[in-house]
């Protein structure tokens, strides 16, 4: 099975577009390690494709199989950022669910995409639940 995780979330986003009378919409899903996007239809039939590239941009392998028309467009919120050879690099290393990004307050110390969005003011600190034993 390929790309099974995003399917329910993307279909739910397509259904959310229906009350807005949007026949077609772009759904975006940022997970912990990847961000995926795809064109979504409000019709009952999900949008699919018969060909895709699997395995990353540099070593992608073409496959021909029916699957959701969703493509990886970037790194996810848990992807670790670092300076390497004078350039900013993000991923493929991830903070994972535990400890997660530093702003989760669960012991993570390496900066992630989520941490950067917090510092840039794109998300608020009130959006992160704290451990009960955290001061």
């Amino acid at each position: 099975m390929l790309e099974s995780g995003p399917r329910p979330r993307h279909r739910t986003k397509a259904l959310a577009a229906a009350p807005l009378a949007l026949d077609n919409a772009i759904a975006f899903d940022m997970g912990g390690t990847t961000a995926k996007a795809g064109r979504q239809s409000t019709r009952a039939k999900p949008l699919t494709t018969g060909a895709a590239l699997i395995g990353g941009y540099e070593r992608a392998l073409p496959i021909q199989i029916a699957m959701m028309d969703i493509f990886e467009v970037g790194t996810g919120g848990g992807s670790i950022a670092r300076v390497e050879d004078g350039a900013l690099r993000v991923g493929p290393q991830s903070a994972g669910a535990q400890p997660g990004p530093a702003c989760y307050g669960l012991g993570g110390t390496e900066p992630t995409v989520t941490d950067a969005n917090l510092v840039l003011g794109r998300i608020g600190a009130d959006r992160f639940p704290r451990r009960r034993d955290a001061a």
Side-chain angles (χ1 to χ4, degrees), residues 110-131:
E110 298 184 86
T112 66
V113 171
T114 299
D115 296 316
N117 282 314
L118 177 68
V119 170
L120 293 170
R122 294 179 179 151
I123 52 178
D126 61 330
R127 299 289 185 177
F128 300 100
R130 298 289 180 192
R131 290 187 322 197

Side-chain angles (χ1 to χ4, degrees), residues 20-112:
L20 301 174
L22 297 173
D23 184 45
N24 292 296
I26 296 175
F28 178 81
D29 177 41
M30 180 180 278
T33 56
T34 60
K36 297 183 182 285
R39 189 174 66 88
Q40 303 298 305
S41 173
T42 57
R43 298 181 200 111
K45 186 176 180 182
L47 297 174
T48 60
T49 183
L53 296 174
I54 302 295
Y57 302 112
E58 295 175 5
R59 296 174 285 169
L61 298 173
I63 62 165
Q64 291 185 322
I65 185 172
M67 60 188 292
M68 293 296 296
D69 195 6
I70 301 170
F71 293 93
E72 185 174 316
V73 295
T75 59
S79 296
I80 295 173
R82 66 200 174 286
V83 175
E84 191 175 278
D85 297 326
L88 178 64
R89 306 277 186 212
V90 181
Q93 296 82 10
S94 174
Q98 292 292 328
C103 61
Y104 284 9
L106 300 175
T109 58
E110 298 184 86
T112 66

Side-chain angles (χ1 to χ4, degrees), residues 4-14 27 29-31 36 40:
S4 64
R7 196 264 188 246
R9 291 186 298 270
H10 276 264
R11 185 69 190 132
T12 300
K13 290 170 187 168
D29 177 41
M30 180 180 278
K36 297 183 182 285
Q40 303 298 305

